[in-house]
């Protein structure tokens, strides 16, 4: 029978790093049954019969958040064989609060004090032997980042899990509290396991609503609670909390020698600059500018151009040798075997043109993902959330909402999933609805294509696309918070900032590869099928009453052209009523990369470089520069790809809320794109028509929604006046 070991610890204590070190590639990710909190488990390296379960990062076992509910239910109901409790050695007092609760569960505990290299570097000293003796469990020093002590901690966890008579550490409260707990334990029914009775007794004393059903079985508990509250002149929940910290303080005083007391750590010194009230935002803007400048404009572009022009183009030179690209090699091979014309067209004009156009941007994305992984691992991402909380709170969102949006700049799906950390349901729903406004990696090809093809590679196009996304988030926050569905103050934002540290190359590359591989898999599945469908419907149609394969000049007779012409009128007010653009926008709902892939097929090119030189003439002939920007804005703001839609549906867990989110995103995209085209055309050409009138009215309505007062504030004024008149 497999041994189960649960990893438990506070957020940012290094638990994920330890989990990766223990399991390597033997990991499985899913959702916990019935809730939308990520479930990670894996097999311990070198032990096929040992399963490591990574519990969500939590501060306590009080069921206030989904993460805490999941962790507590797993520990009580599934009861793992052992708990490996990861404690941040740089903030041990705060971390020990969860440890005291874990020790009450009746499960053997091994404590791993992490970041010991940072503790030693600061000159502080944690006396591990004394700590182990005081806690009553084995304590191991580790550095998950460097791999020090990791194997030893795992071995001890396996060893104690195998021991059926393993001692379970239990800390003691004050005598009067212990007396009440003993009394409650004796009154608990036999259906509660003996080893869990202490946990339930403490939770009953804390008046835990989640186990109120147990109160009915022990009616005298209320009397016990009233008695101790009168004796100690406090509510029992505060009493227990205070008792825990008294116990923790006694441990810290004997087991922790802080040499650096009163001195600022390196992280504190850095934070004085990067979280400074005046410097924080400029520094953040500079950091993100460098990230996207290198990823999109310089190194990323060089790598993407090499992939587009070389791998998926004519080829490249290497040490004087001319190496042909994939299209050239495939065409030669297909000609050599006498491949049928339709099959050759499918492979070259469909699969290679479509999938190749998308895969050509993989190098660019990998560069971006490396930067994002580094910022996350070094601890700067947590600071960004803290910095943005001051701004987002003014627009109805908390700093926690910025974390999903920042993650969403790589891919919308994990960005949407990251909203799970937001406790307030209204804030979480609003974050889910607005996260995909931030341009994800899949939208980078669209930005690059439009910027190069119709704006001559102008430097302002790409940054403006990101500003449009941020503006959409801020405006949505202001407008939605004034509705009844989202009314209310943002939830308080509390985050423990981890110490800065240099991440290992392995962790950064692993994170980069996980994100990149997800993109590549999408290109090999969803995008592949989409390009085959687009090719077939583009190159087959009815001519003179006959259904046949079409030539390049006959695409207007294709199935796709018929479908495109049927829906193109919807987008005519936006300036791009051409059937090709309409079809590209619709295929973008499957995967945003499909927009570029569809253009690659419809305009008959084997590759579409970022500058868009190959399709400059055709695109310029089908839409104006203003219409092209309208097209770009629509694809940035409208409903995301199918994968992200699926994530929205899972996270919303409600069909009506899902359709409201998709409808809001699409409507906002349509309105903004219409205003961009109509007002932009009026400014550039001076042509005034009904479309301009509609756009002006929409802008006026939009401004009204932004500036109108909150209903709650009006109600408050009325109440205050009533109260004043009553006096």
């Amino acid at each position: 029978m497999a041994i189960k070991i649960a990893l438990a610890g506070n957020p940012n204590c290094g638990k994920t790093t330890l989990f990766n070190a223990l399991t390597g590639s033997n990991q499985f990710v899913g959702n916990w049954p019935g809730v939308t909190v990520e479930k990670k488990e894996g097999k311990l390296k070198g032990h096929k019969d040992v399963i490591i379960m990574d519990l969500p990062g939590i501060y306590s076992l009080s069921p206030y958040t989904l993460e805490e509910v999941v962790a507590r239910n797993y520990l009580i109901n599934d009861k793992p064989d052992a708990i490996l409790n990861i404690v941040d050695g740089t903030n041990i007092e705060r971390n020990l609060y969860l440890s005291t609760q874990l020790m009450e569960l009746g499960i053997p505990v091994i404590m791993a004090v992490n970041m010991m290299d940072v503790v030693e570097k600061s000159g502080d000293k944690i006396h591990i032997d004394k700590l182990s003796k005081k806690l009553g469990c084995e304590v191991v020093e580790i550095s998950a980042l460097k791999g020090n002590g990791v194997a030893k901690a795992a071995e001890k966890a396996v060893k104690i899990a195998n021991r059926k008579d393993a001692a379970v550490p239990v800390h003691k409260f004050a005598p009067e509290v212990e007396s009440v707990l003993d009394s409650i334990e004796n009154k608990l029914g036999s259906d509660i396991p003996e080893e869990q009775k202490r946990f339930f007794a403490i939770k009953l004393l804390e008046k835990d609503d989640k186990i109120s059903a147990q109160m009915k079985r022990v009616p005298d508990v209320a009397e016990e609670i009233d008695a101790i509250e009168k004796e100690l002149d406090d509510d029992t929940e505060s009493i227990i909390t205070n008792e825990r910290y008294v116990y923790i303080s006694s441990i810290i005083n004997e087991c922790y020698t802080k040499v650096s007391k009163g001195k600022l750590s390196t992280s504190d010194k850095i934070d004085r600059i990067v979280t400074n009230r005046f410097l924080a935002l400029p520094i953040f803007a500079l950091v993100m500018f460098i990230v996207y400048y290198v990823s999109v404009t310089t190194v990323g572009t060089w790598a993407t151009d090499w992939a587009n022009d070389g791998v998926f183009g004519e080829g490249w030179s290497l040490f004087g040798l001319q190496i042909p690209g994939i299209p050239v090699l495939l065409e030669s091979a297909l000609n050599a075997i006498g491949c049928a014309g339709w099959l050759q067209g499918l492979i070259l004009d469909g699969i290679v043109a479509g999938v190749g156009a998308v895969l050509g941007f993989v190098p660019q994305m990998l560069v971006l993902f490396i930067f994002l992984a580094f910022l996350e691992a070094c601890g700067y991402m947590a600071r960004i959330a803290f910095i943005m909380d001051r701004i987002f709170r003014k627009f109805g969102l908390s700093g926690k909402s910025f974390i999903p949006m920042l993650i969403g700049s790589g891919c919308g799906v994990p960005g949407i999933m990251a909203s799970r950390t937001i406790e307030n349901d209204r804030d979480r729903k609003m974050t889910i609805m607005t996260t995909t406004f931030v341009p994800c990696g899949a939208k980078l090809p669209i930005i690059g294509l439009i910027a190069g093809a119709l704006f001559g590679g102008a430097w302002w196009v790409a940054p403006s696309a990101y500003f449009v996304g941020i503006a959409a988030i801020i405006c949505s926050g202001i407008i939605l918070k004034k509705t009844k569905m989202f009314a209310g103050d943002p939830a308080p934002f509390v985050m423990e900032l981890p110490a800065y540290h240099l991440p290992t190359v392995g962790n950064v590359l692993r994170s980069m590869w996980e994100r990149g591989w997800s993109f590549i898999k999408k290109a090999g599945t969803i995008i592949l099928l989409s390009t085959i469908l687009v090719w077939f419907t583009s190159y087959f149609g009815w001519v003179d009453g006959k259904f046949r394969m079409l030539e390049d000049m006959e695409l207007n007779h294709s199935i796709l052209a018929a479908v495109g012409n049927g829906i193109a009128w919807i987008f005519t007010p936006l300036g791009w009523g051409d059937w090709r653009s309409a079809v590209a926008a619709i295929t973008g709902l499957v995967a945003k990369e499909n927009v570029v892939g569809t253009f690659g097929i419809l305009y008959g090119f084997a590759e579409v470089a970022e500058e868009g030189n190959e399709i400059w003439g055709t695109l310029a002939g089908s839409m104006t520069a203003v219409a092209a920007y309208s097209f770009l804005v629509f694809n940035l703001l409208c409903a995301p790809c199918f994968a992200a839609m699926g994530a929205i549906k899972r996270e919303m867990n409600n069909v009506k809320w899902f359709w409201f989110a998709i409808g809001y995103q699409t409507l906002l995209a349509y309105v903004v794109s219409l205003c961009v085209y109509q007002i932009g055309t009026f400014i550039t050409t001076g042509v005034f028509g009904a479309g301009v009138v509609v756009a002006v009215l929409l802008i006026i309505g939009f401004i009204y929604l932004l500036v109108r007062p909150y209903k709650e504030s009006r109600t408050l004024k009325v109440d205050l006046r009533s109260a004043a008149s009553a006096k």
Side-chain angles (χ1 to χ4, degrees):
M1 188 174 177
I3 295 173
K4 292 183 179 180
I5 298 174
L7 295 187
N10 288 186
N12 297 317
C13 69
K15 189 164 54 65
T16 300
T17 304
L18 178 62
F19 177 73
N20 291 334
L22 294 176
T23 60
S25 60
N26 304 316
Q27 299 177 16
F28 310 93
V29 181
N31 281 343
W32 292 90
V35 293
T36 53
V37 176
E38 191 174 86
K39 176 183 182 180
K40 294 178 72 176
E41 64 178 279
K43 293 183 178 179
L44 180 63
K45 287 191 289 189
H47 297 77
K48 293 183 179 180
D49 60 340
V50 178
I51 296 174
I52 306 293
M53 182 63 71
D54 185 17
L55 298 180
I58 54 175
Y59 289 109
S60 75
L61 289 179
S62 302
Y64 299 127
T65 67
L66 274 177
E67 289 83 358
E68 290 169 348
V69 171
V70 161
R72 194 166 86 163
N73 287 348
Y74 175 77
L75 292 171
I76 293 174
N77 300 327
D78 291 46
K79 197 180 176 187
D81 298 291
I83 297 174
L84 185 53
N85 176 211
I86 301 90
V87 170
D88 179 0
T90 64
N91 196 0
I92 191 167
E93 184 172 3
R94 176 67 187 84
N95 282 234
L96 284 179
Y97 189 88
L98 174 64
S99 302
T100 62
Q101 294 183 316
L102 294 175
M103 292 173 184
E104 294 156 3
L105 291 166
I107 302 171
V109 176
I110 293 289
M111 180 176 288
V113 183
N114 192 22
M115 305 185 192
M116 286 301 296
D117 53 326
V118 180
V119 174
E120 292 169 1
K121 189 176 181 180
S122 67
D124 296 344
K125 176 69 176 176
I126 298 176
H127 306 281
I128 298 298
D129 293 339
K130 288 184 180 179
L131 183 62
S132 178
K133 187 176 180 181
K134 291 285 289 185
L135 291 171
C137 69
E138 288 199 71
V139 181
V140 184
E141 296 181 1
I142 69 167
S143 172
L145 190 65
K146 297 184 177 180
N148 300 336
V150 169
K152 183 180 179 181
E155 288 172 7
K156 286 187 176 292
V158 173
K159 184 178 179 180
I160 199 171
N162 278 316
R163 288 175 54 192
K164 303 301 179 184
D165 59 340
V168 178
V170 176
H171 70 279
K172 295 292 184 181
F173 294 108
E176 56 267 38
V177 177
E178 282 292 330
S179 174
V180 174
L181 287 174
D182 289 340
S183 175
I184 295 175
E185 282 186 64
N186 293 331
K187 294 174 182 177
L188 289 173
S190 59
D191 54 333
I192 297 176
E194 287 296 323
E195 63 270 18
Q196 290 184 358
K197 283 189 174 181
R198 183 174 178 81
F199 173 79
F200 275 87
I202 291 172
K203 286 301 169 187
L204 286 170
L205 199 59
E206 289 181 319
K207 300 178 184 176
D208 191 331
D209 293 336
K210 296 295 181 180
I211 55 172
S212 59
Q214 298 295 337
M215 295 285 287
K216 298 175 183 177
R217 302 182 198 176
V218 279
D220 295 337
V221 167
E223 297 177 9
E224 302 274 0
I225 293 174
D226 290 339
I228 194 171
E229 285 183 339
K230 288 179 181 178
E231 182 179 352
L232 298 178
D233 193 24
D234 204 350
D235 64 277
T236 49
E237 185 174 3
S238 298
I239 292 168
I240 292 292
T241 301
N242 182 66
E243 288 286 318
R244 291 192 198 282
Y245 279 114
V246 168
Y247 172 69
I248 292 169
S249 296
S250 68
I251 294 174
I252 297 299
N253 291 335
E254 293 188 32
C255 305
Y256 187 35
T257 304
K258 192 172 181 63
V259 177
S260 59
K261 189 174 183 180
K263 297 180 181 178
L264 288 176
S265 66
T266 303
S267 288
D268 292 333
K269 291 176 183 177
I270 296 173
D271 279 340
R272 280 195 162 186
I273 299 173
V274 300
T275 62
N276 179 275
R277 179 176 294 274
F278 303 105
L279 297 177
L281 280 179
I283 291 173
F284 167 60
L286 178 62
V287 169
M288 299 314 291
F289 171 79
I290 293 172
V291 168
Y292 285 103
Y293 181 77
V294 175
S295 303
V296 180
T297 308
T298 56
V299 176
T301 296
W302 300 335
T304 293
D305 288 346
W306 172 82
N308 277 322
D309 300 335
V311 179
F312 299 105
E314 295 298 320
W316 67 95
S317 296
L318 184 65
F319 302 117
L321 296 175
Q322 185 64 30
I323 302 175
I326 291 176
V328 177
L329 288 173
L330 280 176
E331 187 173 9
S332 300
L334 294 174
N335 288 331
I337 63 175
C339 182
W342 69 269
L343 182 57
Q344 187 166 339
L346 169 61
I347 296 173
L348 296 177
D349 300 329
I351 297 173
V352 175
V355 178
V358 174
L359 287 179
F361 287 91
V362 168
Q364 191 179 68
M365 292 179 187
L366 293 181
V367 175
L368 175 63
F369 293 157
I370 284 178
F371 274 106
L372 294 178
F374 180 85
L375 291 175
E376 287 174 6
C378 74
Y380 184 62
M381 284 293 195
R383 270 77 181 177
I384 294 175
F386 169 75
I387 293 165
M388 296 305 293
D389 180 62
R390 291 199 298 261
I391 299 172
F392 271 41
R393 190 161 293 278
K394 296 178 182 179
F395 305 117
L397 293 169
S398 75
K400 280 193 174 182
S401 298
F402 188 72
I403 298 173
M405 294 166 189
L406 205 54
I407 296 172
S409 63
C411 177
V413 175
I416 293 165
M417 292 170 64
S419 65
R420 298 169 179 177
T421 59
I422 302 173
E423 294 88 354
N424 187 293
D425 187 60
R426 294 188 302 268
D427 292 353
R428 190 172 64 85
K429 284 185 169 67
M430 190 189 299
T431 302
I432 292 170
M433 289 174 58
T434 56
T435 290
T436 55
F437 289 154
V438 175
C440 64
K443 294 175 183 176
L444 289 182
I446 307 175
I447 297 171
L449 179 66
I450 297 299
L454 286 110
F455 292 94
W459 64 269
W460 59 269
V461 177
S464 70
Y466 289 94
F467 284 123
V468 166
I470 296 298
I473 292 169
I474 292 174
C475 292
S476 295
I478 296 173
I479 293 172
L480 293 175
K481 269 293 179 179
K482 295 180 180 182
T483 64
K484 187 176 182 180
M485 293 184 295
F486 297 98
D489 293 329
F493 179 48
V494 179
M495 171 175 276
E496 192 169 329
L497 299 180
Y500 286 105
H501 58 268
L502 281 175
T504 62
V505 175
N507 284 337
V508 171
L509 292 179
R510 181 186 288 111
S511 178
M512 177 271 292
W513 177 246
E514 286 175 355
R515 289 173 170 173
W517 180 239
S518 175
F519 180 84
I520 294 169
K521 283 192 295 184
K522 192 195 295 185
T525 52
I526 298 173
I527 298 172
L528 174 62
L529 294 174
S530 300
T531 54
I532 292 174
L533 178 62
V534 170
W535 174 84
F536 177 79
T537 53
S538 300
Y539 281 86
F540 282 85
W542 284 268
V543 179
D544 299 328
K546 295 182 179 179
F547 183 78
R548 62 176 176 83
M549 186 173 181
L550 308 174
E551 301 294 332
D552 288 342
M553 302 302 293
E554 298 177 320
L555 295 187
N556 286 329
H557 298 284
S558 66
I559 300 171
L560 197 61
V563 174
N565 286 322
I567 61 173
W569 63 271
I570 299 174
F571 305 105
T572 300
L574 311 186
W576 35 282
D578 173 72
W579 71 267
R580 289 178 173 84
S581 301
V583 165
I586 297 302
T587 59
L589 294 177
V590 179
K592 290 302 176 184
E593 304 93 326
N594 274 341
V595 173
V596 175
T598 300
F599 276 139
I601 294 171
L602 295 180
Y603 294 129
F605 293 98
E607 76 281 337
V608 181
E610 183 180 4
E611 290 80 5
N613 295 330
E614 296 88 342
I615 61 174
W616 162 265
T618 313
L619 274 181
S622 63
M623 63 176 79
T624 63
V626 175
Y629 197 80
S630 167
F631 178 83
L632 175 61
V633 168
F634 182 84
N635 282 278
L636 291 177
L637 301 182
C638 76
C641 64
F642 282 176
M645 286 188 204
I648 291 175
K649 190 173 186 300
R650 288 193 301 272
E651 300 304 314
M652 288 292 194
N653 201 26
N654 183 292
V655 175
K656 290 182 180 178
W657 271 105
F658 166 72
W659 284 114
F660 176 76
I662 299 303
Y664 175 79
Q665 293 168 340
T666 306
L667 179 62
L668 179 67
Y670 194 92
V671 169
V672 175
S673 298
L674 186 145
C675 293
V676 166
Y677 175 69
Q678 296 295 339
I679 301 299
T681 301
F682 174 68
I683 293 172
T684 55
T685 65
V687 177
F688 185 87
V692 178
V693 175
V694 172
V696 171
L697 291 176
L698 287 173
I699 292 173
I700 292 172
F702 194 76
I703 293 173
Y704 168 73
L705 292 175
L706 287 175
V707 300
R708 74 187 179 105
Y710 286 87
K711 288 184 178 180
E712 287 76 8
S713 64
R714 291 202 297 269
T715 304
L716 181 61
K717 288 178 183 177
V718 172
D719 291 343
L720 289 174
R721 288 170 185 165
S722 300
S725 60
K727 289 182 180 180

